[in-house]
Amino acid sequence: MRSGGEKNRAGPSAPAKHPKPHGIRMTTATMLRTFCALVCIGLAVSAHAKPAATPAAAPNVNETCLACHAAADAKGTAGKSIAVDGPKFTTSVHGEFNLKCTDCHTDVAADKIPHAETLKPVNCANCHDAAVKEYSTTVHGIARKGGNNVAATCTDCHGTHDILRSKSAESRTNHVNLEATCVRCHGDKITIAKGKLPGGDIGSEFHDSIHGKALRSAAKMSAPECTDCHGAHNMLPKSDPRSKVARANIPDTCGSCHQPEFKAYTNGMHGKMRQQGVLAAPGCTDCHSAHAIQQHEAAAFQTGAINECGTCHHESLSTYRDTFHGQVTALGYARTATCASCHGAHDVLPPTNPASKVSKQNRLATCQQCHAGASANFASFDPHASRHERERNPAYWYAAKFMEYLLIGVFAFFGIHTAFWLYRSLRVKFGGGDRKEP
Amino acid sequence: MATALPMADSTAAGARRSIGVAQRYYRRFTPLERIMHVALMLTFVGCALTGLPLLYSNQAWATTLSHLLGGFETAGVVHRLCAFVMIVVFVSHVVLVFGKAIARRNVLAILWGPDSLVPQPQDGIDIWRNLKWFVGRGPRPQFDRWTYWEKFDYWAVFWGMFIIGGSGLLLWFPVFFAKLLPGWMFNIASLVHGEEALLAVGLEHELKTERRFEYERLTRESRLAAKEAAPPTHESTLFGWVVGGTALSLGIVAIVLIVYSAF
């Protein structure tokens, strides 16, 4: 097992990342056995190959155990399964290193069988001390320490007797399998409720997201799985400023793959605000969401992002909704201009900046993206005209006032007219004594 | 709205006068006028229904209605189609009115007099009398061919056709019109297009009537016989009810939605 958090997803593992057998502390082994093992494994590592040689002094311990544990229906006295798949262990990464059962189950001695009914939990830190230490700082480790016994431990992600190297296609921690591994808890309603897992059913959100779909496509090796954003053993809570998913770090995390967008974003107003420490400025997930990321052409995303802009730009959203553009998108159709159509998305700049899509210099070209043949007059339309701002839109203001009074006047006059009429007609009908006609 | 109006017996007062024409029907509009009226009614409802979702796009019902109408693009096509027919009807109406008047050499009559829709002093007197009747200080007034509220309704439509039709064309062909007009005209166009439409929908269902004066005048001039008609058949009455009822219901639905959205 690697102790580092970063996973090398595409290529073969680098030698430096291979397990370091000399880190194994064999508490029950003799000096001679330790020496032999070190020599053999040392040779294997230097040769970049599987440790081919079998340590001379590790013969029958595992067979001794499997004598009882091999049967698939083997049960302890309490009726719990005690079955261990021997061949699977042999092909596991630990089997590869010819570890003995007692290397992990340290409270069992091969010469004292049967062993105690209840064994101590296996302590992975006996060998993987750095990884376990790192785990204790992760969101899972912290939750465990806080008494949440649903939070994932080593075996929840890596397995037990069947642990494989991450690069192996069947491994639970293989690039294409990690989603399923995480979703075993983060997509399971009972576990979510029991462990109060944040974010709810992330499994189905991610499954339908653009990343989830990419993981099932031919491009799966370049699509991100959970740990690519969250880290594995460095999966810090997002409240930790060092976390890859801390609010301040999200653009960097996304930008590690989406470089052109990252560049546009850092040059844009929102990215600049972030550089000045304004964390309220939107980052990637504010518009795109974290787990439910959709294709940016999707109407639901396009129209949804408008409301997201409106969470800060209230006035602009409200005046936009008064225009045809804003009305059509409010109905859920993305055929008309959204905020990003005119202002840009990642590279949004203030209109005073000459490089902005809505600057005086660029405005007409921006209109012409959709309205071919638009003239300078056309571009002088105010797409954010406010009927309440006399200075900004005097003609619009007067027109609005006129219409207001016209509507009130007409409806008031005819409202009263009709009310009186109804009253009089009823009196006539029910013989309430209308005056005699002339 | 009715193609044939049961004139004399439509009110208690009419019945009381017992002038012996209670079961007679008179044709107020020519067949062409009736076709144009139906076209206007249908296109009006068509425009209103396809336009309302945009005007109330922040309401949940607007999204539902928009999808019900086949989406914003389909609704847009229907809206423009209805608008086009409406403009054709409107222009035909103006041409017909003047054409007829020129043929009869009485252009002045459509501009002034009891048959004219142009407001005149008599309307002021009528309003005053009607208001007096409302507050119980006078007899119920009788009207000639056009009551003042019918005239108002007519000119509201006339004005509305210019404002809504004009602004609609601007919004339909913005690139073309922007060659002639400044950008802020389009801001105003989209504003008045919606608000005038509200006014039109709101005023659409006005009016019941007393039209004794016209009856008397026509009798006096012995022109009534020419307008007498066979009573409407059962089928045509039913048809009138179905078409009129549908239009009225759609209009009421529109008004209910508008009022609902105001709160």
Side-chain angles (χ1 to χ4, degrees):
Chain A
M1 212 34 246
R2 296 188 318 256
S3 57
E6 286 300 322
K7 207 170 53 63
N8 185 352
R9 83 163 88 99
S13 294
K17 286 195 166 189
H18 269 249
K20 298 195 172 55
H22 56 259
I24 296 169
R25 277 180 247 125
M26 296 186 200
T27 50
T28 57
T30 63
M31 285 288 284
L32 180 66
R33 271 157 61 184
T34 308
F35 177 71
C36 288
L38 280 173
V39 168
C40 294
I41 294 164
L43 280 169
V45 169
S46 64
H48 285 231
K50 282 184 182 180
T54 309
N60 292 317
V61 176
N62 289 358
E63 275 100 29
T64 309
C65 299
L66 285 170
C68 295
H69 290 278
D73 56 353
K75 284 192 172 69
T77 48
K80 230 173 118 185
S81 171
I82 55 163
V84 174
D85 191 332
K88 226 173 189 167
F89 175 77
T90 313
T91 54
S92 79
V93 67
H94 289 146
E96 217 176 84
F97 284 102
N98 290 313
L99 293 196
K100 301 190 303 295
C101 304
T102 51
D103 290 335
C104 293
H105 299 285
T106 51
D107 48 348
V108 177
D111 51 355
K112 283 187 188 159
I113 302 294
H115 56 74
E117 177 66 25
T118 312
L119 299 182
K120 282 193 290 182
V122 167
N123 186 3
C124 302
N126 284 346
C127 302
H128 304 282
D129 53 345
V132 170
K133 206 169 159 197
E134 209 174 10
Y135 163 83
S136 68
T137 66
T138 67
V139 64
H140 292 139
I142 292 168
R144 270 273 159 184
K145 246 183 275 170
N148 185 337
N149 58 6
V150 170
T153 61
C154 312
T155 54
D156 288 310
C157 298
H158 294 283
T160 51
H161 298 112
D162 56 349
I163 298 174
L164 294 169
R165 292 173 195 279
S166 289
K167 67 175 179 183
S168 145
E170 286 87 47
S171 167
R172 281 186 179 83
T173 51
N174 179 271
H175 179 72
V176 290
N177 300 334
L178 255 163
E179 180 195 352
T181 302
C182 299
V183 162
R184 265 181 60 225
C185 292
H186 290 281
D188 178 60
K189 285 192 174 64
I190 295 164
T191 315
I192 291 166
K194 211 170 144 196
K196 297 192 181 69
L197 305 195
D201 185 1
I202 293 167
S204 52
E205 273 185 19
F206 184 81
H207 185 269
D208 294 336
S209 78
I210 190 165
H211 289 148
K213 284 174 187 161
L215 269 175
R216 298 190 293 279
S217 75
K220 57 175 167 267
M221 292 320 286
S222 53
E225 39 75 8
C226 313
T227 63
D228 287 312
C229 295
H230 291 277
H233 289 153
N234 58 345
M235 189 184 288
L236 300 170
K238 61 182 174 189
S239 54
D240 189 318
R242 294 166 302 160
S243 167
K244 288 176 67 143
V245 292
R247 187 164 172 82
N249 300 336
I250 282 174
D252 292 300
T253 302
C254 301
S256 65
C257 292
H258 299 278
Q259 278 125 3
E261 289 78 11
F262 178 73
K263 204 172 157 215
Y265 172 78
T266 46
N267 289 332
M269 191 60 198
H270 293 146
K272 289 212 173 89
M273 287 168 78
R274 278 298 187 86
Q275 288 147 39
Q276 289 155 12
V278 184
L279 266 185
C284 315
T285 54
D286 290 311
C287 293
H288 292 282
S289 86
H291 300 113
I293 301 174
Q294 292 303 308
Q295 193 87 34
H296 74 88
E297 292 92 350
F301 168 70
Q302 296 253 325
T303 56
I306 295 166
N307 294 328
E308 198 53 54
C309 300
T311 55
C312 292
H313 303 278
H314 308 283
E315 183 65 21
S316 301
L317 177 65
S318 129
T319 51
Y320 167 75
R321 289 291 184 219
D322 285 341
T323 68
F324 180 68
H325 293 151
Q327 289 165 343
V328 172
T329 53
L331 293 174
Y333 306 96
R335 261 279 274 144
T336 54
T338 63
C339 310
S341 312
C342 301
H343 294 277
H346 302 114
D347 52 353
V348 54
L349 289 168
T352 46
N353 187 323
S356 163
K357 287 184 74 176
V358 292
S359 70
K360 277 200 165 62
Q361 297 91 318
N362 297 338
R363 202 171 292 168
L364 179 57
T366 301
C367 295
Q368 284 170 339
Q369 289 175 149
C370 298
H371 301 277
S375 56
N377 266 355
F378 186 97
S380 74
F381 167 79
D382 187 344
H384 290 284
S386 166
R387 59 190 300 165
H388 307 295
E389 276 181 64
R390 196 170 165 177
E391 276 71 46
R392 179 172 163 168
N393 311 100
Y396 190 67
W397 188 86
Y398 283 112
K401 275 275 171 271
F402 174 76
M403 292 309 299
E404 217 168 276
Y405 291 132
L406 184 68
L407 259 79
I408 291 171
V410 168
F411 284 129
F413 179 78
F414 279 99
I416 295 166
H417 194 263
T418 308
F420 266 112
W421 193 317
L422 196 68
Y423 166 69
R424 273 289 144 192
S425 304
L426 289 176
R427 283 197 57 168
V428 171
K429 188 160 187 172
F430 298 109
D434 200 28
R435 279 175 192 241
K436 263 263 164 273
E437 289 171 35
Chain B
M1 188 162 297
T3 53
L5 192 79
M7 280 180 59
D9 66 338
S10 61
T11 64
R16 251 182 279 145
R17 280 173 56 94
S18 54
I19 48 174
V21 290
Q23 297 306 316
R24 288 191 205 163
Y25 291 82
Y26 299 92
R27 199 158 267 154
R28 285 184 75 208
F29 299 104
T30 68
L32 183 64
E33 283 170 338
R34 277 179 271 157
I35 289 170
M36 282 166 63
H37 191 93
V38 169
L40 197 66
M41 181 177 78
L42 291 179
T43 52
F44 181 84
V45 171
C47 277
L49 275 184
T50 49
L52 274 179
L54 280 184
L55 205 54
Y56 288 99
S57 54
N58 58 337
Q59 301 283 322
W61 62 258
T63 311
T64 312
L65 180 58
S66 168
H67 283 85
L68 205 67
L69 292 167
F72 127 83
E73 274 152 333
T74 310
V77 172
V78 173
H79 194 83
R80 286 168 175 86
L81 193 72
C82 286
F84 176 75
V85 174
M86 205 192 278
I87 291 170
V88 168
V89 170
F90 176 69
V91 172
S92 317
H93 168 74
V94 175
V95 169
L96 271 176
V97 165
F98 278 93
K100 222 161 33 177
I102 290 165
R104 288 182 190 156
R105 294 172 192 206
N106 60 348
V107 179
L108 277 181
I110 60 163
L111 298 176
W112 202 256
D115 276 332
S116 169
L117 275 158
V118 176
Q120 29 214 294
Q122 182 60 39
D123 295 307
I125 299 167
D126 285 349
I127 293 175
W128 179 243
R129 282 186 183 159
N130 213 23
L131 291 179
K132 280 215 305 207
W133 173 64
F134 281 167
V135 294
R137 304 208 159 230
R140 186 170 201 175
Q142 304 300 322
F143 298 98
D144 207 318
R145 181 165 180 191
W146 308 110
T147 64
Y148 63 87
W149 63 87
E150 282 178 307
K151 285 187 182 180
F152 181 88
D153 204 45
Y154 180 83
W155 290 110
V157 171
F158 216 91
W159 150 270
M161 285 303 297
F162 269 106
I163 297 295
I164 305 181
S167 58
L169 281 173
L170 239 66
L171 299 169
W172 189 349
F173 305 105
V175 173
F176 170 75
F177 283 106
K179 291 194 172 101
L180 317 162
L181 300 167
W184 53 262
M185 280 296 289
F186 296 87
N187 284 116
I188 292 180
S190 48
L191 173 88
V192 297
H193 193 76
E195 304 224 337
E196 262 301 318
L198 267 191
L199 194 59
V201 173
L203 277 182
E204 180 204 11
H205 303 285
E206 205 52 52
L207 333 179
K208 355 274 80 120
T209 46
E210 280 273 330
R211 238 179 253 94
R212 186 110 31 83
F213 270 26
E214 185 188 10
Y215 171 80
E216 285 175 350
R217 189 166 52 81
L218 288 174
T219 318
R220 214 165 41 239
E221 294 168 8
S222 311
R223 279 163 56 198
L224 198 59
K227 294 208 171 194
E228 206 164 334
T233 61
H234 181 68
E235 288 78 11
S236 65
T237 310
L238 192 68
F239 180 73
W241 270 100
V242 170
V243 173
T246 308
L248 188 72
S249 323
L250 288 173
I252 289 169
V253 167
I255 288 172
V256 166
L257 289 175
I258 290 170
V259 172
Y260 166 78
S261 308
F263 298 104

